[in-house]
Amino acid sequence: MNRRPRVFSGMQPTGGLHIGNYLGALKSWVELQDDYDCIYCVVDYHAITIEHDPRDLQARIELVARGYLAAGVDPERSALFVQSAVPEHTELAWVFSSLTPIGLLGRMTQFKDKSKDHEDNVNAGLLTYPILQAADIAIYKSEAVPVGEDQQQHLEFARDVVRKFNLRYGGLFPEPRTILSSAPKVLGLDGERKMSKSLGNDIGLEESADEVWRKLAPAKTDPARVRRTDPGDPEKCNLYRYHRCFSSEQTLQWAAAGCRSAGIGCLDCKRKLHQHMEEQLAPLRERLLDLQAHPDRVREILAAGAARLRPIAQQTMAEVRDRLGIPRWPTT
Ligand code: AQP
């Protein structure tokens, strides 16, 4: 029987998910379930490359898993699990590290950015992060990876490393293609940098309607609109980009025309945006709360996902060891 093409993606449990994660990746994860065999992972080993509190890690893993489920990842159709529950990921990463020139890793944009943000902790895990990510994808022989724009370079790296493996040891892995959503780079409320958990410029999926409004109200718009009567350019307004993701065509036209003519003020436009955001975010928030009240349900889903995937990962590792000439040692 022909299997459906396989998709893999993951997010780090470094905090609660935000609308950048949701619009940039999660929404397309949900849509892809119709046509692909989807595997979605909480990548906890990636999250320890920056300092973390071990006492919080499990709670953060479950928080991210709840985000996936609340957004519409359906455990009946997709496998959902935690990276560390399938240790073959890290085993394959070691193999890939032997195919990776160090210089290439040092040129990765994310490594450079994170080295600046965590100057006192520039560790080898931060440098080799893309190798583990390539292994996460390849261990399931995944064909496609839905991610935000910031991950494109890492996926180029993943294609590169599996190509090298295939050339040296014989074709085993597909070269995974990138699937970008219609909002591949959501800027933070500062309107300057990518929305990020660690930069604090985000709107969290679990934040209440009031909390979201308290963040939207002072958020930057087109700098030309100093006074209510100053006309503006919606294309220069970060919040108009949010409108594009949440609002109807009619609202978009209303906002663009009102901004250009100064017929509406930024606050009117933000109120309307808030209303449209709530239409999508309120039901999601409700599902998050329901899942929080049933932690066993989430843990069972994660355990079932790992149980389904581990044999696939073990099979791939057996093939990898054969290609490398590593003998099958008796274990008893
Ligand atoms: N602002 C964004 N716009 C579009 N897509 C985004 N993604 C993240 N931020 C945006 C996409 O979400 C997925 C998960 O990312 P991650 O958890 O691996 O971490 P990240 O990209 O490093 O996200 P953060 O919020 O910036 O985390 P911290 O601050 O902990 O480093 C990826 O597909 C990513 O592209």
Side-chain angles (χ1 to χ4, degrees):
M1 195 178 78
N2 277 349
R3 73 167 172 87
R4 297 198 296 173
R6 186 165 283 158
V7 148
F8 175 94
S9 200
M11 296 193 190
Q12 303 181 70
T14 44
L17 301 181
H18 50 69
I19 62 166
N21 300 130
Y22 175 64
L23 301 168
L26 253 183
K27 270 184 98 169
S28 51
W29 291 15
V30 173
E31 288 159 15
L32 290 166
Q33 296 181 114
D34 293 335
D35 300 311
Y36 291 83
D37 172 24
C38 296
I39 301 178
Y40 297 128
C41 184
V42 182
V43 290
D44 52 346
Y45 275 138
H46 284 283
I48 63 167
T49 56
I50 56 169
E51 244 172 76
H52 76 289
D53 186 342
R55 290 168 301 184
D56 288 347
L57 191 56
Q58 184 177 349
R60 286 181 175 212
I61 290 168
E62 290 175 11
L63 177 66
V64 170
R66 288 199 295 272
Y68 294 177
L69 292 164
V73 170
D74 173 3
E76 297 292 321
R77 293 191 289 159
S78 301
L80 203 160
F81 76 116
V82 182
Q83 183 186 35
S84 57
V86 183
E88 286 72 19
H89 288 233
T90 41
E91 194 177 351
L92 182 59
W94 179 256
V95 175
F96 282 173
S97 71
S98 311
L99 293 166
T100 303
I102 293 173
L104 188 61
L105 296 172
R107 289 197 289 278
M108 294 284 148
T109 311
Q110 183 170 302
F111 172 69
K112 290 193 227 164
D113 289 347
K114 296 236 159 163
S115 303
K116 263 188 237 147
D117 292 341
H118 305 277
E119 263 178 344
D120 50 344
N121 184 24
V122 184
N123 58 72
L126 213 50
L127 182 71
T128 57
Y129 188 110
I131 300 179
L132 180 54
Q133 188 172 341
D136 296 334
I137 298 162
I139 197 81
Y140 304 107
K141 301 185 181 171
S142 314
E143 277 109 350
V145 187
V147 283
E149 189 181 279
D150 59 322
Q151 294 299 323
Q152 287 207 91
Q153 194 183 30
H154 285 174
L155 286 192
E156 190 54 50
F157 170 86
R159 284 189 282 278
D160 212 53
V161 78
V162 303
R163 202 176 301 135
K164 265 193 205 141
F165 182 98
N166 290 342
L167 275 174
R168 194 171 295 179
Y169 301 112
L172 184 62
F173 299 113
E175 289 181 25
R177 67 186 172 87
T178 310
I179 299 179
L180 286 183
S181 76
S182 53
K185 183 175 181 182
V186 179
L187 293 184
L189 288 160
D190 52 11
E192 284 162 19
R193 291 188 69 181
K194 185 193 87 144
M195 184 174 287
S196 259
K197 303 171 205 109
S198 51
L199 293 176
N201 61 358
D202 62 322
I203 294 178
L205 293 184
E206 75 273 23
E207 290 185 79
S208 69
D210 284 351
E211 284 168 321
V212 173
W213 176 247
R214 275 198 293 276
K215 287 186 169 180
L216 278 184
K220 281 192 183 162
T221 56
D222 175 6
R225 298 208 72 184
V226 181
R227 290 172 303 247
R228 166 78 172 71
T229 49
D230 294 330
D233 179 354
E235 299 306 328
K236 293 188 180 144
C237 175
N238 188 37
L239 294 197
Y240 186 68
R241 291 186 203 115
Y242 293 1
H243 261 300
R244 280 218 175 94
C245 300
F246 289 102
S247 302
S248 61
E249 194 48 46
Q250 197 188 0
T251 300
L252 280 175
Q253 284 174 16
W254 167 85
C259 177
R260 288 198 182 96
S261 65
I264 58 168
C266 290
L267 215 52
D268 305 321
C269 194
K270 287 171 174 175
R271 272 193 209 101
K272 197 69 151 182
L273 170 64
H274 187 235
Q275 185 190 322
H276 282 291
M277 284 175 75
E278 275 306 295
E279 283 159 15
Q280 282 193 47
L281 297 182
L284 197 153
R285 211 181 290 130
E286 229 169 85
R287 289 193 290 273
L288 274 175
L289 286 173
D290 179 51
L291 288 161
Q292 194 175 358
H294 299 94
D296 287 345
R297 202 192 290 165
V298 177
R299 287 171 199 153
E300 276 162 27
I301 290 169
L302 293 172
R308 198 195 114 190
L309 294 171
R310 183 100 201 262
I312 304 175
Q314 285 171 324
Q315 170 63 29
T316 305
M317 260 331 286
E319 289 167 345
V320 168
R321 284 193 222 103
D322 282 347
R323 300 291 171 103
L324 295 170
I326 293 173
R328 296 191 180 209
W329 302 106
T331 49
T332 49

